[in-house]
Amino acid sequence: MEFSEHIKTANVEDVVLRRPFHPPMQGTLCVTGHHLLFSNRDGDSSRLVLLLLRNIDAIEKRPSVSSGTITLKCKDLCVLQLDIPGMEECLNIARSIEYLSSLDIVSDMYPFFYRPLKLSLQDQWGLSSPEQNYAQMEELQDRWRLSHVNKDYSVCPSYPPAVIVPHSIDDETLVKVAKFRQGGRFPVLCYYHRKNGMVIMRSSQPLTGANRKRCREDELLLQAVIDGSGLGYIIDTRSNQQAQQARMTGGGFESKSSYSCWKRLHRQLERGKVLQESLIKLVEACGDHSHSVDRWLSKLENSKWLSHVHTALATAGLLAECVERDGHSVLVHGSEGTDATLLVSSLAQLILDPNTRTLDGFLGLLEREWLLAGHPFQHRCAHSAYSHARLRLEAPVFVLLLDCVWQLARQFPLAMGFSEPLLLRLAREVYASDYGTFLCNSDQERCAAGVKERTHCLFQFLLKPSEREHYSNPLYEPTELAIWPSIQPQSLQLWRGLFLRWTQHAVHLEKAQEELRNLVIECRGAS
Amino acid sequence: MMEHIRTPKVENVRLIDRTAPRKAMVGTLYLSATHTIFVENNPETRRETWVLHSMVASVERPPTTPSGSHLVVHTKNFQVVQLLIPQERDAMDVQASLARLSRPEKYSELYCLSINPNANKEEREESWSFLDLQADYRRMGVPNNLWVSTPANSEYRVCDTYPSELFVPKSATPPVIVGSSKFRSRGRLPVLTYFHQDTLAAICRCSQPLSGFSARSQEDEQMLEAIMKSNPGSDYIYVVDTRPKLNAMANRAAGKGYENEDHYANIKLQFIGIENIHVMRNSQQKISDVGELKTPSMGDFLWGLESSGWLKHIKAVLDAGVFIAKAVAEEGISVVVHCSDGWDRTAQACSVASVLLEPYYRTMKGLMLLIERDWVSFGHKFSHRYNHLEGDPKEVSPVIDQFLECVWQLSEQFPCAFEFNERFLVQLHRHVYSCQYGNFLGNSQKERRDMGLRERTHSLWPQLWKDRAQYANPLYRADHTQTQGILRPNTTPYCFKMWKGMYNRVEKSSPPRQTPTDLLTAVREETQQLEEELTNHQERIAVLTKADQTKGNAGQRKINKVCEEECRPGGLAPPTGDGPFTSPPQGYSPSQGGPPGSAMTLPLGPPKGPGPDSDDLSSACSDMESGVADLSSHSSSGGDDNKDPDEAVYCTA
């Protein structure tokens, strides 16, 4: 594709850029296929501001006779303003931004063009494969096997080529189970609890439909999961009523009569549009500086964002509790099993498993539980909180995960190996990135688009020695124990680092973080 | 007080953990003259819970159940102790005794006056000279050629709620001082409270003028004129009336009110809109209810927070301080602050402004001095506001609570700017209510002098100072940019949070808490010790080297290695073990129990009897709550030396 078709005006002089924390700056604005480039030469020093067009969520233009103002609202919640001389130029630039910021062909996106000197396309893409993950967990290998039934993505398009299933269940059975689960997402193992051998499984809803259809293979598979341990729990991330209603559209739930050894618990987690609207309301509340304390609190409540954080952590706590304290295996699913399911299963793993709390371990968790497990990033993160575009498949499930992880890290400042800047970086990269990691909706799509050959991997980059320190928690002290978060509303807080990122408030807090880091380094150095 | 104790001891009492009602400790309840003490039966732990009578706000007795009678004790610092007493009769006795013991009728019944003043005479006398208010005025550069000390109020002649020593403009003559005083509510004339050396602007405080609809006083007008002239180069002053304008206008009908801008040349009147003590009292009740909600939904919580109005009031107080600080530091304009009587909202606004303006007031000693000046010396009615004696409930209001909370909100916004931590503020708050020291008794300097408190009680300040290690904010550095100059806080509503450490302490026991600053403090202490050790070793090496040159180097290396090994387990030990970290989760599902520990209990030996001598009870303080259990025990300076007796009461950290 030729980007130049869409760039009528490539350069404008004497543009004024206004952005948070900086005085207005005058300089030259330049539009390229993927960036806005703003440069200003002040004597000898020249300054360059580079903005990825993909980061722009909404654009508002106010043209007047001889000039115009463009307000850019970015997906990282930053708001910028450009004063452009010349109405024609202003409109041309606005049009280019509108078009180029919402490209939807994957191979046109910037990660396919990003070629930094320090990185090579020959570098490893991704951190680990299902095979490697399986090989590392020797304890589970006598009861669990690695199945390649999905090696060509034909059984479940959103699963990776290899998944872990009970030893006694053969591939033929899996194919049948897949037909009984929405999108072919049959139950697979996502976590093995070393202390007691219990597991966390995840899947999509069973397609029982209005006639309460059964699938013997599905029942067999779940029976094999709890082999010997007697009772398992199913955490359904929908309310009981929602689950009942799903039967009308072909979905459903595991009934007591067919799955007698499984106890179902319903915990309603919001998803989709409700979640997206919650984010929009929260960001709107944070951006309005004029109102009173009462109005702020009422807007904060009205956005319901913190309620979603609360429910997600509470459900993850419940799941972890079933596994660690009650000693039962758990299956998690909602309807599609690609959103709330992943949110709950990955938070529970952070609570239980110290290996997922290191920097490497956390990124590994994201790779396993979000990228390979088929969270549809491209659909969910097409737009963020400012966009006026009609909502389609957008939902900030991943941002909600990061917020919950931040809450965990805030309650256990010593337990996590990674830092708040890592979470903030991920929150930005998931919407607009130089790297290919969050492109596409599944492993299959990523392979088909050549993402792994033609883009660089964000996770590999974050683990480079040059980056590692910044994203590590200076206070980190590993603990083998589970970290049980307090889910009292009084204990949960607005994530100021993200939602008030562009206010002076966040700057003070950041300085304090820096001070803390320096002090620890100083103290450790001294002793 | 002993005569009020009907039952000194009740056995088989259960102390209920409110976060996990089915878990309870069984033990014996003792009532002493000063404390209620619960001692667990379990011979291994024998945890103790102490509640000082003067901290008790209320004792409720819900209807008796088959298993016995419950007593729910709410304290003035928002903690809750729930007891289950087998016999209804005992419960009624305990309730009646506590009701009486917690509401003393005379000052002499108070803790600090019930101890022998001559037991530690020297220490007592010394304790009162710990702070020197006059030295603080000198630090500000007062007196100088603009502001002078006046003897007008010696023996409290012009105003019995003011300190005897006052600073006024040099040009204010005695007739002006006396005349102005007569024109102000309760004689509280405009006097200096803070002088900003950089701009020569001053903060003065007073009460409302007796202006009514038309009255005026030439002397009072001259007084304000003199204040303006004491700031060379400025041609007006601000008069900040911290009340809502409507309230100020209503006061005119009673012959009071505010300054008429037509009569006073060169003043700019500014209303701030801090609500009165009654509104604040109700609001605090509501926010403390929010803090006590057991399993609220997020919606309930936020709605409760909003409808309490508390954060709105905190913002109003902070906004008042910001306005004054800006006028003084940025515009270089002097400010006269008043409300009605000038002892509540005025104290809040002036002291918040001082914290913003002057880095010194963000240190421990500075904050003590500030409280001593703007609150104690200027006649804030501590005994009335904090209900020290059984009195008019309408006089009670959390005025200084709000000031301390403003400081806390600021410290959350500027984590490096304050020398002290949250614990310091919580402790100050406690002592405003506890009456264990004489500092906050009475309602004015005159009352305190007449009671002879300096001769009969100890001062709190040196005690806090002695324990300063546990109140230190490790992020504070005197040379940090945040530490210097004036603070310019953001007062956008989203900057205000509920003060969980104050209003939601019940819950503290349940989540395993780790605080980075606690860790850092411990690391620092550890480092310091190691450095000292290293120095010692090096000195010894130096000696040895002299004796034997060849072996010196080897010795040095070895010692460094020892230091490395020692550092890890000590300084940065993970919060593991069977402490709070393994606490079972709570609240995910209703059937689950709570954690074993409670914030309010101490795993200690048998009681040694209450009173200022039972100091060592505080030793295991921080472990229950912070999740950094083993850290505090490593820092050797966490000392056994004389600690605050009140910490025995609650293991607040």
Side-chain angles (χ1 to χ4, degrees), chain B residues 34 51-58 73-79 102 429-436 505 649-650:
Chain B
T34 53
V51 184
L52 185 71
H53 294 329
S54 56
M55 292 307 289
V56 172
S58 70
V73 180
H74 287 256
T75 71
K76 292 174 182 171
N77 54 346
F78 313 105
Q79 295 182 304
S102 62
H429 175 265
R430 216 201 109 77
H431 282 296
V432 164
Y433 290 87
S434 79
C435 301
Q436 280 170 303
R505 271 191 276 185
V649 178
Y650 267 121

Side-chain angles (χ1 to χ4, degrees), chain B residues 184-185 206-212 239-260 269-277 280 316-317 320 336-346 348-349:
Chain B
R184 293 274 167 181
S185 192
C206 56
S207 59
Q208 63 186 339
L210 303 175
S211 48
V239 173
V240 169
D241 189 328
T242 55
R243 299 168 292 184
K245 189 167 185 185
L246 216 62
N247 300 20
M249 283 166 73
N251 263 295
R252 293 202 299 187
K256 300 168 190 169
Y258 53 92
E259 291 78 0
N260 184 333
L269 199 57
Q270 175 78 32
F271 292 95
I272 300 277
I274 303 175
E275 298 289 348
N276 66 29
I277 57 169
M280 300 307 192
V317 175
V336 172
V337 188
H338 71 74
C339 46
S340 299
D341 290 315
W343 51 42
D344 293 320
R345 288 171 272 203
T346 300
Q348 289 176 330

Side-chain angles (χ1 to χ4, degrees), chain A residues 35-311:
Chain A
H35 290 96
L36 281 187
L37 239 139
F38 184 90
S39 60
N40 111 315
R41 278 197 188 74
D42 189 13
D44 293 339
S45 67
S46 78
R47 277 197 294 180
L48 195 70
V49 178
L50 195 65
L51 179 71
L52 195 59
L53 285 166
R54 183 94 196 146
N55 188 13
I56 295 170
D57 204 25
I59 164 168
E60 286 159 19
K61 43 186 189 282
R62 277 197 311 275
S64 66
V65 185
S66 61
S67 70
T69 299
I70 297 180
T71 304
L72 301 173
K73 298 187 169 179
C74 298
K75 292 170 182 169
D76 63 6
L77 307 182
C78 184
V79 178
L80 311 163
Q81 197 182 305
L82 294 166
D83 301 338
I84 300 172
M87 184 173 75
E88 176 88 14
E89 284 81 356
C90 175
L91 290 175
N92 282 343
I93 284 179
R95 243 188 314 267
S96 301
I97 295 174
E98 268 159 14
Y99 183 85
L100 295 167
S101 65
S102 52
L103 300 172
D104 47 12
I105 298 168
V106 173
S107 59
D108 285 345
M109 291 181 187
Y110 185 62
F112 286 91
F113 299 83
Y114 178 58
R115 296 290 176 266
L117 290 174
K118 280 185 285 181
L119 300 174
S120 154
L121 287 177
Q122 266 67 54
D123 291 345
Q124 190 192 333
W125 210 98
L127 303 176
S128 180
S129 66
E131 285 80 4
Q132 286 166 322
N133 287 333
Y134 179 75
Q136 278 166 9
M137 296 189 282
E138 281 170 29
E139 318 85 90
L140 63 73
Q141 289 169 4
D142 54 330
R143 278 196 58 219
W144 300 83
R145 68 184 186 94
L146 190 70
S147 164
H148 292 89
V149 68
N150 198 39
K151 61 179 182 298
D152 53 1
Y153 305 103
S154 59
V155 178
C156 172
S158 61
Y159 270 177
V163 292
I164 302 173
V165 294
H167 229 296
S168 57
I169 301 298
D170 59 22
D171 284 356
E172 265 171 64
T173 313
L174 291 178
V175 173
K176 286 181 183 151
V177 176
K179 290 201 173 110
F180 185 63
R181 295 272 172 179
Q182 184 174 358
R185 295 175 68 91
F186 55 91
V188 295
L189 177 133
C190 66
Y191 173 66
Y192 178 85
H193 196 50
R194 285 186 179 80
K195 277 184 210 149
N196 57 13
M198 295 301 125
V199 298
I200 301 177
M201 310 281 295
R202 55 176 158 73
S203 68
S204 59
Q205 64 180 340
L207 302 173
T208 56
N211 308 328
R212 301 174 187 274
K213 209 165 63 191
R214 291 177 64 164
C215 170
R216 221 178 67 78
E217 289 77 9
D218 193 74
E219 291 162 24
L220 265 178
L221 194 161
L222 289 190
Q223 193 56 43
V225 169
I226 49 170
D227 169 50
S229 76
L231 179 74
Y233 282 100
I234 294 171
I235 294 184
D236 193 322
T237 61
R238 304 163 294 180
S239 69
N240 195 5
Q241 198 192 2
Q242 283 173 327
Q244 298 282 356
Q245 277 167 355
R247 284 176 34 225
M248 299 303 132
T249 49
F253 52 89
E254 294 83 354
S255 69
K256 191 80 207 160
S257 54
S258 318
Y259 299 83
S260 56
C261 293
W262 289 83
K263 189 172 158 45
R264 236 171 47 241
L265 301 168
H266 291 275
R267 290 289 183 279
Q268 187 186 343
L269 268 75
E270 293 300 345
R271 57 204 92 208
K273 212 171 168 180
V274 176
L275 213 52
Q276 184 72 16
E277 276 166 358
S278 170
L279 178 72
I280 292 171
K281 282 185 190 165
L282 177 67
V283 169
E284 200 268 320
C286 291
D288 180 356
H289 295 182
S290 58
H291 45 60
S292 68
V293 176
D294 287 357
R295 223 164 103 81
W296 154 249
L297 287 172
S298 123
K299 280 188 160 185
L300 181 62
E301 186 208 336
N302 199 251
S303 79
K304 294 275 183 287
W305 181 262
L306 284 172
S307 302
H308 302 319
V309 171
H310 180 254
T311 316

Side-chain angles (χ1 to χ4, degrees), chain B residues 613-653:
Chain B
D613 293 322
S614 56
D615 291 339
D616 52 344
L617 283 164
S618 56
S619 58
C621 252
S622 56
D623 66 344
M624 301 317 295
E625 306 176 350
S626 58
V628 280
D630 26 5
L631 292 174
S632 52
S633 52
H634 273 280
S635 50
S636 67
S637 62
D640 319 298
D641 42 352
N642 279 357
K643 280 248 174 107
D644 221 343
D646 49 275
E647 281 193 26
V649 178
Y650 267 121
C651 118
T652 53

Side-chain angles (χ1 to χ4, degrees), chain B residues 416-436:
Chain B
C416 305
F418 292 83
E419 187 194 26
F420 45 82
N421 57 22
E422 175 180 9
R423 233 169 266 167
F424 186 65
L425 297 171
V426 168
Q427 200 65 0
L428 282 173
H429 175 265
R430 216 201 109 77
H431 282 296
V432 164
Y433 290 87
S434 79
C435 301
Q436 280 170 303

Side-chain angles (χ1 to χ4, degrees), chain B residues 371-444:
Chain B
I371 291 174
E372 195 64 38
R373 184 187 78 211
D374 275 348
W375 296 80
V376 178
S377 87
F378 274 107
H380 175 65
K381 304 202 295 172
F382 280 93
S383 277
H384 286 165
R385 294 290 176 260
Y386 311 113
N387 211 8
H388 291 160
L389 298 183
E390 180 71 356
D392 181 359
K394 285 214 169 69
E395 280 283 315
V396 179
S397 188
V399 185
I400 201 167
D401 298 39
Q402 292 182 316
F403 165 65
L404 293 172
E405 179 158 343
C406 283
V407 176
W408 178 80
Q409 300 277 2
L410 285 171
S411 74
E412 285 288 291
Q413 217 175 109
F414 302 96
C416 305
F418 292 83
E419 187 194 26
F420 45 82
N421 57 22
E422 175 180 9
R423 233 169 266 167
F424 186 65
L425 297 171
V426 168
Q427 200 65 0
L428 282 173
H429 175 265
R430 216 201 109 77
H431 282 296
V432 164
Y433 290 87
S434 79
C435 301
Q436 280 170 303
Y437 296 89
N439 302 64
F440 305 124
L441 253 53
N443 297 302
S444 65

